């Protein structure tokens, strides 16, 4: 709901749990008045106090108390007195300052799409939008701030559209949002990491000065995720205030919280202004990506569950978003590049007999691809490996009762490829400089429309050639050596233009092939963000398939992204990434905390191990709906243990998982209390052959088995009677 109080110049945006309040001052400056727990009415109890602050300049002669440096602003610029981090930096013939003042507004049901960019969506019943025009008279620049409130979903979508008038301008910075909070006593929650160690949940006390994260890799990256939350210092899973923000973008970004000298916090997020500069002509416009904001006082679990629901209902547009995902077998760690059709069918036959539903052929099926040094871009089947082609292989897999999926890396090109020999100018490079290689490959220049068209047609031709119902879309290096035509002394537009090209490719392919389930991958979680999730409802969370390593990766991923979006596989031991040897049961239990898959050579397993695979797939099919679409609750966590449970929407089933890392001498007993059950209902646990009331499980809890083994785990299923 959006209420406008014209006399006071107040806009009151209300969602299920929060109020967001803005005000236009008599000076026509737009200020932020409140963001927090929902209130019914606002009568300005938090009065703006104007004081004469030394070294905080005033735009008005004779009035030393009014300063942009101390006002709680909505979208700020530097140059006229505000010395905090700005939301916008624009240069023109009139200098670098902007004096943005209220010009007008519009309130309407529904929400506009963002041209060329992924963004949240909803009908007129689920979302209402406020647009506010801020105008600088000297430069004739208008900044339209968009606020779309989803009352039931408890989210606010913000973005900015920057328009020129009769004068050109150069944008040096354009954030999606900033706002000023009246306190700084918070901890900052982010997701950090590195390759094969993604989405590590990091909590940092906000220091004086600025805490920021970001990426300049041309992708959101393994090491940073476009997400930032500010939470009470004593926040728990169930209690405490959490302010959260996502950026719906997959390229270079920044997110920050700045503690000011007056103990307030400026919070913001958007495009990374490092290596960014955008030229606007006369009567031109630039649209920022969208930021998604939310607030809850229900702690970290409240943040997680609200985020999961919003993404599933208002962000991920795929028809597969709310469909159960198949159990798959991927041949990568079973064969790597070294396979023939006979080996794949042998693996597929065992997989089918084990209850697996989808066979995915990974890298190595095209061109002369026998290692990672050639053939990227040559999307033609290797008939030496697959004499019957993809259609023949897919048909054989289908006859085994499984679907067939395929790996691509369409954004890349190998120097040793027919594509490069024909079109070397399609690879990203700086003229006069040698290539910079990563994995012996280069990146195609998606700022060129002809390149985007090639990818769409080449991938589309393959998808039309066989019964392919799943695509794993990989991206295994970051961008360097950007072309000087879009990065020079006058502009730095390449990275954003690359993303616009990529989103165009995604849009065309996913629209053309709605029957295909697309899974994104970037060496694992190197571009696992909302920009990609808009088009592809599933992501390969990490190339690290070790069960213990996956605990923190999957915890961080599911902190904000739906469980149904998270691919998780059982692999061989010793694990190929870390060399760890874990029990088959633990590998299965951890993989069943996401979308279950297998990535090992099933033909090498013993009869007992194959029986365990069959048991795992049979079990997962009985809990799949609960795990993929139920509510996630994080439970007891220590340096040596991890526990969580999932609860079906109707509370008819709960799935509990507990993992112990290392055995310890004379270790204390561990008790874990479940969450989210129906307290008055009786639940049967076949694993324990026992019946418990929900309130007992949630208040008394379960005593974990005392087993002196490393990497021990249990999975208990509770079905309501």
């Amino acid at each position: 709901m959006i209420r406008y109080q014209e006399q006071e110049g107040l806009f009151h945006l209300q969602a299920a749990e929060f109020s967001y309040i803005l005000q236009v001052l008599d000076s026509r400056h737009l200020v932020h008045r409140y963001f927090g727990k929902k209130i019914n009415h606002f009568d300005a109890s938090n009065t703006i106090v104007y004081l004469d602050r030394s070294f905080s300049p005033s735009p008005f002669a004779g009035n030393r108390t009014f300063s942009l440096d101390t006002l709680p602003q909505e979208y700020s610029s530097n140059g006229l007195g505000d010395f905090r981090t700005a939301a916008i930096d624009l240069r023109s013939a009139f200098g670098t300052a902007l004096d943005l003042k209220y010009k007008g507004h519009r309130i309407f049901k529904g929400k506009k799409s963002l041209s060329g960019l992924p963004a949240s969506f909803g009908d007129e019943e689920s979302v209402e939008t406020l647009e506010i025009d801020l105008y600088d008279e000297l430069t004739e620049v208008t900044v339209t701030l968009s606020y779309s409130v989803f009352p039931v979903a408890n989210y606010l979508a913000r973005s900015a559209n920057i328009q020129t008038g009769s004068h050109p301008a150069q944008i040096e910075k354009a954030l999606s949002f900033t706002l000023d909070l009246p306190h700084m006593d918070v901890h900052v929650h982010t997701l950090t990491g590195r390759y094969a160690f993604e989405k590590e949940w990091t909590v940092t006390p906000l220091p004086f000065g600025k805490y920021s994260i970001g990426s300049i890799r041309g992708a959101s990256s393994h090491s940073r995720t476009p997400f930032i939350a500010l939470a009470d210092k004593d926040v728990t899973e169930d209690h405490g205030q959490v302010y959260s923000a996502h950026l719906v973008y997959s390229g270079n970004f920044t997110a920050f919280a700045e503690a000011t000298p007056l103990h307030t916090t400026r919070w913001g997020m958007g495009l990374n202004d490092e290596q960014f500069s955008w030229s606007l002509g006369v009567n031109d416009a630039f649209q920022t990506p969208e930021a998604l904001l939310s607030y809850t006082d229900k702690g970290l679990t409240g943040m997680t569950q609200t985020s999961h629901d919003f993404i599933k209902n208002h962000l991920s547009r795929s028809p597969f978003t709310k469909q159960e995902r198949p159990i798959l077998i991927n041949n990568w760690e079973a064969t790597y590049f070294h396979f023939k059709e006979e080996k794949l069918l042998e693996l597929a036959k065992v997989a089918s007999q084990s209850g697996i539903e989808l066979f995915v052929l990974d890298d190595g099926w095209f061109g002369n691809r026998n290692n990672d040094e050639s053939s990227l871009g040559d999307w033609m089947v290797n008939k030496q490996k697959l004499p019957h082609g993809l259609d023949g292989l897919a048909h054989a897999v289908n006859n085994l009762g499984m679907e067939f999926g395929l790996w691509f890396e369409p954004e890349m090109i190998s120097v040793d490829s027919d594509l490069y020999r024909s079109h070397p100018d399609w690879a990203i490079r700086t003229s006069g400089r040698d290539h910079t290689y990563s994995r012996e490959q280069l990146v195609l220049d998606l700022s060129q429309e002809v390149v985007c068209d090639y990818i769409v047609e080449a991938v589309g031709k393959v998808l039309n050639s066989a019964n392919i119902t799943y695509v794993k879309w990989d991206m295994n290096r970051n961008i360097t050596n950007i072309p000087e035509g879009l990065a020079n002394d006058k502009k730095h537009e390449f990275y954003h233009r690359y993303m616009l090209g990529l989103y165009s490719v995604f849009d065309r392919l996913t629209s053309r092939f709605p029957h295909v389930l697309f899974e994104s991958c970037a060496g694992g979680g190197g571009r696992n963000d909302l920009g990609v999730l808009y088009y592809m409802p599933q992501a390969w969370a990490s190339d690290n398939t070790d069960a213990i390593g996956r605990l923190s990766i999957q915890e961080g991923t599911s902190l904000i992204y739906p469980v149904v979006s998270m691919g998780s596989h059982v692999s061989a031991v010793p694990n190929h990434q870390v060399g760890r040897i874990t029990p088959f049961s633990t590998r299965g239990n951890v993989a069943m905390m996401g979308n279950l898959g297998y990535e090992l050579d099933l033909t090498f397993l013993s009869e007992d191990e194959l029986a365990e695979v069959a048991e795992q797939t049979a079990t997962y099919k009985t809990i799949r709906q609960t795990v993929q679409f139920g509510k996630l609750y994080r439970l007891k966590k220590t340096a040596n243990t991890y526990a969580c449970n999932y609860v079906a929407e109707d509370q008819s089933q709960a799935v509990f998982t507990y993992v112990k890392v290392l055995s310890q001498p004379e270790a204390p007993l561990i008790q874990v209390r479940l969450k989210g059950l129906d307290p008055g209902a009786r639940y049967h646990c076949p694993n324990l052959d026992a019946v418990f009331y929900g309130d007992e499980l949630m208040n008394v809890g379960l005593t974990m088995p005392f087993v002196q083994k490393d990497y021990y785990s249990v999975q208990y299923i509770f079905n309501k009677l």
Side-chain angles (χ1 to χ4, degrees):
M1 171 187 282
I2 299 175
R3 293 198 305 235
Y4 175 52
Q5 298 169 225
E6 184 174 3
Q7 185 173 353
E8 296 85 3
L10 282 169
F11 300 92
H12 187 166
L13 287 61
Q14 290 181 315
E17 295 187 50
F18 67 78
S19 287
Y20 189 105
I21 301 173
L22 313 83
Q23 185 174 25
V24 179
L25 302 179
D26 291 340
S27 62
R28 293 190 292 122
H29 291 98
L30 182 66
V31 296
H32 179 80
R33 296 307 307 271
Y34 176 73
F35 181 30
K37 190 175 178 66
K38 184 177 180 179
I39 59 175
N40 292 321
H41 304 284
F42 179 75
D43 294 312
S45 58
N46 60 341
T47 305
I48 297 177
V49 179
Y50 296 97
L51 298 174
D52 182 357
R53 299 276 190 181
S54 298
F55 289 88
S56 290
S58 172
F60 305 121
N63 181 356
R64 299 186 179 185
T65 65
F66 186 99
S67 176
L68 299 178
D69 196 36
T70 59
L71 280 180
Q73 297 193 64
E74 271 293 301
Y75 203 77
S76 65
S77 62
N78 295 142
L80 295 176
D82 187 353
F83 297 107
R84 298 164 293 181
T85 300
I88 184 170
D89 181 5
L90 185 143
R91 303 175 190 276
S92 70
F94 302 95
T96 62
L98 285 176
D99 189 15
L100 295 172
K101 293 185 178 180
Y102 171 82
K103 185 178 181 180
H105 74 273
R106 297 161 296 282
I107 298 174
F108 55 89
K109 297 287 187 181
K111 181 181 184 292
K112 298 176 182 177
S113 60
L114 301 187
S115 178
L117 289 167
S120 58
F121 53 82
D123 58 25
E124 293 188 357
E125 299 301 316
S126 61
V127 59
E128 188 175 12
T129 298
L130 164 67
E131 292 181 343
I132 299 179
D133 295 328
L134 304 179
Y135 182 68
D136 178 75
E137 293 183 357
L138 182 61
T139 62
E140 298 181 18
V141 167
T142 300
V143 178
T144 299
L145 302 181
S146 177
Y147 302 80
S148 294
V149 60
F150 294 79
V152 175
N154 202 51
Y155 260 89
L156 174 67
R158 281 195 58 178
S159 65
N161 187 278
I162 302 160
Q163 308 125 49
T164 53
S166 56
H167 309 289
Q170 192 76 16
I171 301 174
E172 302 294 338
K173 175 194 281 189
L175 297 183
S176 299
F177 89 93
T178 57
L179 64 87
D180 293 329
L181 297 172
H183 52 81
M184 57 164 284
D185 193 27
V186 296
H187 282 177
V188 185
H189 293 246
T190 55
L191 297 172
T192 61
R194 58 184 181 272
Y195 170 72
F197 194 62
E198 303 93 328
K199 298 285 190 292
E200 299 303 304
W201 185 356
T202 304
V203 182
T204 307
L206 179 61
F208 276 106
K210 185 164 69 172
Y211 177 93
S212 67
I213 61 169
S215 172
I216 56 169
R217 291 176 172 267
S220 51
S221 85
H222 297 88
S223 56
R224 301 290 185 268
T225 297
F227 158 81
I228 186 170
L230 309 181
D232 290 344
K233 289 184 175 181
D234 59 352
V235 71
T236 68
E237 284 290 345
D238 305 307
H239 304 286
Q241 297 185 108
V242 184
Y243 301 84
S244 60
H246 301 264
L247 190 67
V248 187
Y249 194 65
S250 311
N252 295 352
F253 78 96
T254 184
F256 69 89
E258 180 183 19
T260 74
L262 297 179
H263 291 208
T264 63
T265 299
R266 175 157 288 178
W267 186 32
M269 174 180 267
L271 293 171
N272 197 325
D273 56 298
E274 189 173 343
Q275 301 188 43
F276 171 81
S277 179
W278 196 272
S279 298
L280 289 179
V282 173
N283 295 319
D284 206 353
F286 179 82
Q287 175 64 53
T288 73
E290 184 173 85
L292 300 173
L293 281 65
S294 190
Y295 164 90
T296 183
D297 63 355
K298 295 180 174 61
L300 297 163
T301 296
M303 178 196 73
T304 291
Q305 294 180 355
T306 301
S307 180
H308 288 187
D309 289 345
F310 185 84
I311 293 168
K312 287 183 288 188
N313 292 318
H314 297 291
L315 194 284
S316 179
R317 74 172 193 178
S318 168
F320 288 93
T321 298
K322 297 183 180 181
Q323 294 183 27
E324 289 186 0
R325 308 298 161 80
I327 303 169
L328 65 83
I329 176 76
N330 183 300
N331 74 297
W332 179 242
E333 289 191 17
T335 66
Y336 292 101
F337 293 104
H338 312 298
F339 60 82
K340 292 290 183 70
E341 184 178 277
E342 294 81 6
K343 175 61 180 178
L344 297 177
L345 290 177
E346 181 185 7
L347 181 60
K349 182 178 180 180
V350 179
S352 175
Q353 293 169 346
S354 301
I356 293 172
E357 302 160 321
L358 166 67
F359 182 90
V360 179
L361 174 57
D362 211 279
D363 197 354
W365 57 268
F366 54 93
N368 294 310
R369 184 78 164 172
N370 296 308
N371 54 47
D372 62 8
E373 298 181 3
S374 77
S375 301
L376 288 172
D378 297 344
W379 302 111
M380 294 163 286
V381 67
N382 183 325
K383 286 296 186 75
Q384 290 184 326
K385 292 183 176 182
L386 304 175
H388 298 97
L390 291 173
D391 184 49
L393 179 61
H395 184 71
V397 169
N398 294 159
N399 284 341
L400 291 171
M402 292 190 295
E403 295 182 73
F404 179 71
L406 194 63
W407 178 96
F408 288 91
E409 195 175 3
E411 298 164 65
M412 301 295 151
I413 183 171
S414 301
V415 172
D416 182 9
S417 69
D418 292 339
L419 183 64
Y420 186 84
R421 285 183 279 272
S422 299
H423 299 285
D425 56 315
W426 284 9
I428 295 172
R429 73 172 302 173
T430 306
S431 298
R433 297 191 183 277
D434 293 335
H435 287 307
T436 300
Y437 296 91
S438 179
R439 206 171 179 251
E440 299 301 323
Q441 63 194 50
L442 306 175
V443 187
L444 285 169
D445 184 354
L446 270 65
S447 72
Q448 299 185 46
E449 186 174 352
V450 64
V451 177
C452 295
D453 291 343
Y454 169 78
I455 292 174
V456 171
E457 293 309 310
V459 173
K461 184 177 181 180
V462 174
L463 295 182
N464 281 323
S465 73
N467 187 23
I468 300 167
T469 58
Y470 170 101
V471 164
K472 180 181 178 181
W473 184 293
D474 211 343
M475 187 277 289
N476 279 307
R477 67 156 290 179
N478 293 135
I479 295 173
T480 59
N481 299 58
I482 59 179
E484 69 280 0
L486 289 172
N488 50 50
D489 58 340
K490 294 182 173 60
K491 57 186 175 182
H492 210 318
E493 299 181 359
F494 176 79
Y495 284 108
H496 187 57
R497 290 198 181 277
Y498 181 94
M499 292 312 309
L500 294 176
L502 178 65
Y503 289 146
S504 172
V505 169
F506 284 172
D507 180 61
R508 285 188 276 170
L509 281 172
T510 57
S511 298
R512 187 181 298 183
F513 298 96
H515 67 284
V516 174
L517 170 59
F518 284 84
E519 178 184 72
S520 71
C521 177
R527 200 170 60 191
N528 186 3
D529 53 61
L530 293 189
V532 176
L533 274 175
Y534 175 81
Y535 302 98
M536 301 183 179
Q538 187 166 312
W540 177 230
S542 179
D543 281 354
N544 184 349
T545 59
D546 171 57
I548 302 305
R550 271 295 185 123
L551 289 174
S552 61
I553 293 168
Q554 293 179 184
E555 178 190 49
T557 301
S558 63
L559 178 71
I560 53 175
Y561 298 153
V563 174
V564 72
S565 73
M566 185 171 66
S568 182
H569 296 175
V570 175
S571 63
V573 293
N575 176 263
H576 292 194
Q577 290 77 50
V578 302
R580 197 179 345 252
I581 298 175
T582 53
F584 209 104
S585 58
T586 293
R587 283 176 272 158
N589 289 342
V590 173
M592 282 191 268
M593 294 161 68
N595 293 337
L596 176 63
Y598 292 82
E599 194 161 334
L600 74 169
D601 193 339
L602 296 175
T603 67
F604 286 178
L605 298 186
S606 67
E607 289 187 8
D608 287 344
E609 288 171 324
L610 285 174
E612 194 161 1
V613 173
E615 183 180 352
Q616 288 174 353
T617 59
T619 296
Y620 190 71
K621 291 171 186 177
T622 70
I623 65 173
R624 175 162 43 190
Q625 181 71 25
T626 297
V627 171
Q628 293 183 358
F629 299 103
K631 293 187 180 299
L632 168 63
Y633 295 88
R634 292 174 293 272
L635 306 175
K636 196 177 190 72
K637 178 185 176 182
T638 70
N640 198 48
T641 61
Y642 180 81
C644 70
N645 73 259
Y646 306 82
V647 179
E649 285 288 342
D650 61 1
Q651 298 178 304
S652 62
Q653 185 182 67
V655 180
F656 168 83
T657 304
Y658 166 83
V659 181
K660 179 185 69 175
V661 179
L662 296 175
S663 285
Q664 298 170 336
E666 297 295 331
L669 293 174
I670 300 292
Q671 283 190 299
V672 184
R673 291 192 289 258
L674 277 64
K675 295 179 181 178
L677 304 178
D678 181 347
R682 298 168 71 234
Y683 289 87
H684 175 247
C685 178
N687 315 87
L688 299 173
D689 191 23
V691 175
F692 306 96
Y693 276 93
D695 60 352
E696 180 183 357
L697 293 170
M698 292 191 293
N699 292 288
V700 179
L702 291 166
T703 302
M704 296 298 97
F706 189 82
V707 176
Q708 290 296 71
K709 293 180 180 178
D710 291 342
Y711 319 127
Y712 174 77
S713 69
V714 297
Q715 180 193 77
Y716 296 150
I717 300 169
F718 297 89
N719 296 308
K720 183 191 276 190
L721 297 176

